[in-house]
Amino acid sequence: MKFSTLTGWALILGLTLGWVAQPATAETYQMNCKNSRYSYRVSFDNEAKRFRWASDAGQVDYIVIRYKTEEDGVTVWGKVRQYGNDFVAYFSTEGWMKSLYANGSSMTDICRGR
């Protein structure tokens, strides 16, 4: 099989574009949060799509529905458990964690980290 110069350049271009188009690297985001009752930590692993809530009392994984990576941070939407309340977390230097309840109420905690 003969390779022409054009075929060679097409091969190099294809390999280069394939290398450039690789997905973003795996990253774990972390924040320390606080509300009026207690302090806790949350983390999100974008490769495993794992959201973890932890405090001195223990830790639990939440269900991730979707997430969005932006220039200033990462927003994660999910559920605390199968039939539990929803949450939205914004991982940034000055982030937040919002719990959304079935009765229409919500609670937002201030978080620090990334």
Side-chain angles (χ1 to χ4, degrees), residues 4-112:
S4 68
T5 305
L6 182 58
T7 304
W9 281 111
L11 181 60
I12 291 170
L13 180 61
L15 291 173
T16 303
L17 289 176
W19 177 73
V20 171
Q22 293 297 318
T25 59
E27 199 162 339
T28 300
Y29 303 90
Q30 299 179 356
M31 296 190 299
N32 294 313
C33 304
K34 186 174 184 168
N35 61 34
S36 62
R37 296 179 292 163
Y38 50 84
S39 297
Y40 60 95
R41 297 169 305 285
V42 290
S43 63
F44 175 63
D45 178 332
N46 69 349
E47 184 175 49
K49 294 176 184 59
R50 175 182 291 141
F51 187 96
R52 179 163 286 167
W53 184 98
S55 73
D56 293 338
Q59 64 185 17
V60 63
D61 287 346
Y62 287 2
I63 300 166
V64 174
I65 305 296
R66 64 185 169 126
Y67 73 96
K68 181 179 181 182
T69 303
E70 299 175 280
E71 197 172 303
D72 295 336
V74 175
T75 305
V76 181
W77 293 266
K79 297 183 95 30
V80 172
R81 59 186 175 278
Q82 185 65 33
Y83 299 106
N85 62 286
D86 295 341
F87 76 89
V88 180
Y90 179 64
F91 286 85
S92 184
T93 305
E94 296 182 17
W96 45 264
M97 174 81 178
K98 181 179 274 193
S99 298
L100 308 163
Y101 301 99
N103 66 3
S105 66
S106 66
M107 184 173 71
T108 303
D109 298 336
I110 302 299
C111 304
R112 300 284 181 249

